[in-house]
Amino acid sequence: MAENYLAVMPGSGVITQPVSWEIRESLHDPYTESHPNFIEGPSHEISMEELTFKNIIPTFSDNSLTISHQKFIETTRKAAEVIFGTGNVTTSETRCSHPIIGRIPSAQHKKANELRDDEKTIFYQRLAWIAQICNFTSSINGQSVSLTIGGTRSYHEDKLYARQNPQHFRIFIGFRVRVCSNMMLTCDGISENLLCMTEADIFQHAFNLFQRFNEVKESTICKLEALNHTWLSQEQFCKIIGRLRLYQALPNTQQKALPQVLLGDSVVNSATKQYITNPNFGMGNGDGSISCWQLMQLLNEAVKNSYSDLWIDRNANCTTFATGIANALNDTDDSYGWFLN
């Protein structure tokens, strides 16, 4: 076991304390440019250089600066390096959406098609990013699974028209599958709706989350691996798909009596199609049976088309749903039994 100490960020009020982590042999295999995206939807890849030097930083109505996208990423990464070791956090994969386009004052009378690049201003309303912890990698069903951190934020949740006020962020830590970049998030690894005034607030929240998850990462990977040993027949899979469709039409009183499901018709449609076509997690050429691990990945792949501010909740719901189905099949918890009946 190695031991490190938390460095106090200026003005953070964070108390120095020892931090321990387990160092394992790194199985890190750098991603190529063609690897699958962790989120798709209406987003595109953007570099930290572009975020830092080409995007403006929005302000509140009193001209107070907001916390920029790049500062959010950098601060969260610093917290991860305290827990998992300096140099063990890979380069961030960053995706943005909903560009807000403007122009400099001297170009106010020009037509849009006459604007030069240096006369345009831009920032992105929504952001999602991840980075891999390269000293903790495992394998499930022959597929590499890596510990990953990340976060999302959307300026539309912040009242930029008002004076400076707390800003909304979401951070997470969990595992993703190398073959498809699907994230597998659990409630232990999500910190939602953080209200932060400073970068130090982000650091403290991220540090607390990563520290808590570091203590349960072994048990979490074991729970995910256990899904690979519980199987669904094709008939059971079809019942689940039918029940998911029926769930959307139930009155609110009946929905509240069942576990919450955030998977709409588009997700169910996509998962159904991938059950037939997905080369990694579909039914293949067998009898149509799949494991609960495969069910989770089919759902995870389907929610990757969500907006970045909805993606985390839906992704975690996929893990919860697949785990609930496995528990119902194993007669350990019948909370999700309705989806199989």
Side-chain angles (χ1 to χ4, degrees):
M1 300 289 289
E3 187 171 73
N4 200 355
Y5 284 84
L6 169 63
V8 179
M9 290 188 65
S12 66
V14 179
I15 301 174
T16 303
Q17 54 182 299
V19 179
S20 300
W21 64 84
E22 182 178 0
I23 301 298
R24 290 188 168 196
E25 180 183 358
S26 173
L27 301 179
H28 174 54
D29 179 18
Y31 286 86
T32 64
E33 293 182 358
S34 61
H35 82 272
N37 298 319
F38 66 96
I39 185 174
E40 295 168 350
S43 66
H44 70 274
E45 186 176 2
I46 188 170
S47 67
M48 286 293 290
E49 180 181 9
E50 184 174 350
L51 278 178
T52 304
F53 297 108
K54 295 185 179 181
N55 289 5
I56 64 172
I57 302 174
T59 65
F60 292 100
S61 64
D62 60 357
N63 209 28
S64 300
L65 275 177
T66 61
I67 299 173
S68 66
H69 289 333
Q70 60 268 27
K71 288 298 183 182
F72 168 42
I73 296 172
E74 291 171 0
T75 304
T76 308
R77 287 172 55 89
K78 288 177 182 177
E81 288 183 342
V82 171
I83 302 296
F84 301 105
T86 303
N88 285 325
V89 183
T90 63
T91 303
S92 303
E93 298 174 47
T94 308
R95 299 187 71 83
C96 288
S97 66
H98 296 72
I100 308 299
I101 302 173
R103 58 177 70 192
I104 60 176
S106 61
Q108 59 183 312
H109 300 298
K110 285 189 175 183
K111 295 180 179 179
N113 59 2
E114 296 175 345
L115 290 172
R116 302 190 309 267
D117 288 343
D118 63 320
E119 295 174 328
K120 300 175 184 177
T121 64
I122 188 173
F123 71 90
Y124 291 91
Q125 186 187 72
R126 303 183 187 186
L127 164 81
W129 68 276
I130 60 172
Q132 180 178 323
I133 308 299
C134 43
N135 68 335
F136 192 91
T137 305
S138 186
S139 178
I140 299 178
N141 196 31
Q143 290 143 354
S144 180
V145 176
S146 56
L147 186 61
T148 305
I149 64 169
T152 67
R153 68 94 56 93
S154 177
Y155 277 119
H156 89 277
E157 296 181 313
D158 302 325
K159 299 176 181 178
L160 299 183
Y161 57 82
R163 297 177 65 86
Q164 186 178 21
N165 58 82
Q167 298 159 67
H168 295 74
F169 300 90
R170 293 176 175 85
I171 55 177
F172 60 84
I173 180 171
F175 295 93
R176 72 167 172 172
V177 186
R178 169 70 172 84
V179 71
C180 59
S181 281
N182 282 353
M183 292 293 304
M184 296 164 290
L185 304 179
T186 65
C187 59
D188 292 327
I190 297 178
S191 187
E192 299 180 288
N193 297 322
L194 303 181
L195 293 176
C196 302
M197 291 289 290
T198 65
E199 295 165 34
D201 293 338
I202 296 175
F203 182 91
Q204 184 67 79
H205 284 296
F207 174 81
N208 291 340
L209 176 67
F210 299 157
Q211 185 180 47
R212 290 196 306 269
F213 191 85
N214 191 41
E215 298 172 357
V216 299
K217 64 181 186 294
E218 296 278 3
S219 60
T220 300
I221 198 71
C222 289
K223 291 177 182 177
L224 293 174
E225 188 173 15
L227 295 176
N228 198 43
H229 305 301
T230 303
W231 287 79
L232 292 162
S233 67
Q234 187 173 72
E235 180 181 1
Q236 289 172 320
F237 176 79
C238 291
K239 284 183 178 180
I240 290 173
I241 294 299
R243 287 291 189 174
L244 284 173
R245 292 187 184 279
L246 180 60
Y247 177 89
Q248 306 300 322
L250 291 177
N252 288 336
T253 52
Q254 292 185 357
Q255 281 194 11
K256 289 179 180 179
L258 296 169
Q260 184 183 34
V261 176
L262 304 177
L263 312 176
D265 284 342
S266 61
V267 173
V268 175
N269 291 340
S270 178
T272 304
K273 182 178 180 180
Q274 289 183 58
Y275 171 72
I276 303 296
T277 62
N278 192 298
N280 300 306
F281 306 111
M283 67 175 186
N285 298 320
D287 60 0
S289 61
I290 60 172
S291 67
C292 287
W293 164 261
Q294 290 170 277
L295 172 66
M296 177 177 63
Q297 299 305 339
L298 292 177
L299 296 174
N300 280 339
E301 188 72 21
V303 301
K304 285 166 70 171
N305 283 311
S306 303
Y307 286 115
S308 57
D309 56 329
L310 302 174
W311 165 62
I312 292 181
D313 298 339
R314 293 178 178 177
N315 197 293
N317 196 236
C318 294
T319 305
T320 303
F321 184 81
T323 303
I325 293 295
N327 291 338
L329 290 170
N330 293 325
D331 296 324
T332 58
D333 184 353
D334 197 43
S335 299
Y336 285 79
W338 182 85
F339 294 94
L340 290 165
N341 296 329

